[in-house]
Amino acid sequence: DTEVTQTPKHLVMGMTNKKSLKCEQHMGHRAMYWYKQKAKKPPELMFVYSYEKLSINESVPSRFSPECPNSSLLNLHLHALQPEDSALYLCASSLGQNNEQFFGPGTRLTVL
Amino acid sequence: GENVEQHPSTLSVQEGDSAVIKCTYSDSASNYFPWYKQELGKRPQLIIDIRSNVGEKKDQRIAVTLNKTAKHFSLHITETQPEDSAVYFCAASISGNTPLVFGKGTRLSVIA
């Protein structure tokens, strides 16, 4: 399996909802990432997990909470989001942090 | 920290012509430089990358050149085709535990 998968593909949520985004890879990669991408902008790094431990948190608001249950899975828990959080959320993985990153298809999130 | 500048922001070429996109980086310790292509509504996909121990790399119609002294690297696409139309992102990273820093992207349009 040479792909990163993400679910759901689309998500619409209200500002009081709690939801989770899921990401999975079975390539044996030890680094996993969450990015946020707004229209016509580059991916913006949110979190990096290395060997299942959070290694980078780019000052992301606490309404976004990442979790890495095992080496193949990465979750992003969402709570009390704002409309400006609407974006494409991309997961990526790589063998190490200085290797090619493989991106998942993304979850398009809309916060009402 | 690392800063990556990318130019131009938009580029239109006639089918069959060449396209060149340029990036500069600020941290001389950066040693990994990938290029990603992102079609509308799709995930970013790596098209070519280069490490600092190499000056040029080619893969069919795509080539990347790196000038470490000047701290810039360029993407060259020859014999462009309509399916090359997409947004292209350059990125840079320093070996070790630093993630990719992306340029702002170039929207390439290939006109048939």
Side-chain angles (χ1 to χ4, degrees):
Chain A
D1 191 348
T2 57
E3 269 207 334
V4 177
T5 58
Q6 286 186 245
T7 56
K9 197 170 180 178
H10 301 276
L11 178 63
V12 179
M13 59 187 290
M15 289 190 283
T16 58
N17 292 157
K18 283 186 183 181
K19 297 285 184 183
S20 297
L21 309 185
K22 296 186 184 303
C23 174
E24 193 166 356
Q25 57 86 16
H26 296 285
M27 295 179 279
H29 289 174
R30 304 318 299 259
M32 295 186 77
Y33 312 78
W34 280 115
Y35 289 89
K36 173 182 177 181
Q37 188 177 29
K38 292 282 223 179
K40 301 184 180 180
K41 299 285 186 185
E44 180 185 334
L45 185 67
M46 300 174 72
F47 303 103
V48 181
Y49 272 82
S50 180
Y51 290 86
E52 301 160 51
K53 292 195 184 324
L54 183 65
S55 64
I56 294 177
N57 175 342
E58 291 285 359
S59 304
V60 178
S62 59
R63 58 186 185 267
F64 296 91
S65 174
E67 178 197 17
C68 189
N70 60 54
S71 60
S72 299
L73 293 174
L74 187 65
N75 299 323
L76 186 63
H77 303 297
L78 315 172
H79 174 53
L81 295 193
Q82 305 296 309
E84 58 264 30
D85 296 322
S86 298
L88 180 68
Y89 287 83
L90 292 161
C91 172
S93 71
S94 63
L95 199 58
Q97 284 192 47
N98 196 231
N99 297 98
E100 174 186 354
Q101 288 188 25
F102 292 81
F103 282 86
T107 293
R108 186 154 303 277
L109 174 68
T110 303
V111 182
L112 301 176
Chain B
E2 175 65 281
N3 182 50
V4 177
E5 299 281 340
Q6 183 172 346
H7 298 280
S9 56
T10 60
L11 179 60
S12 289
V13 299
Q14 291 291 326
E15 183 178 359
D17 287 351
S18 295
V20 181
I21 303 170
K22 299 183 179 183
C23 289
T24 60
Y25 60 99
S26 60
D27 195 325
S28 56
S30 288
N31 64 355
Y32 177 59
F33 307 93
W35 285 89
Y36 284 85
K37 174 184 180 183
Q38 188 173 26
E39 297 176 65
L40 191 63
K42 301 278 183 71
R43 72 186 84 189
Q45 291 201 296
L46 183 80
I47 55 171
I48 197 165
D49 57 8
I50 193 167
R51 294 190 182 271
S52 60
N53 58 345
V54 174
E56 183 173 0
K57 186 175 176 181
K58 194 171 181 182
D59 182 4
Q60 299 182 332
R61 298 187 295 108
I62 294 171
V64 57
T65 58
L66 172 64
N67 183 326
K68 285 170 54 181
T69 304
K71 291 189 282 189
H72 67 69
F73 57 112
S74 301
L75 177 71
H76 304 254
I77 306 174
T78 58
E79 300 171 25
T80 53
Q81 300 166 4
E83 51 266 38
D84 294 329
S85 297
V87 178
Y88 291 81
F89 293 102
C90 64
S93 77
I94 304 168
S95 69
N97 291 322
T98 61
L100 293 176
V101 176
F102 284 88
K104 291 191 185 306
T106 296
R107 182 171 298 278
L108 173 65
S109 299
V110 179
I111 303 160

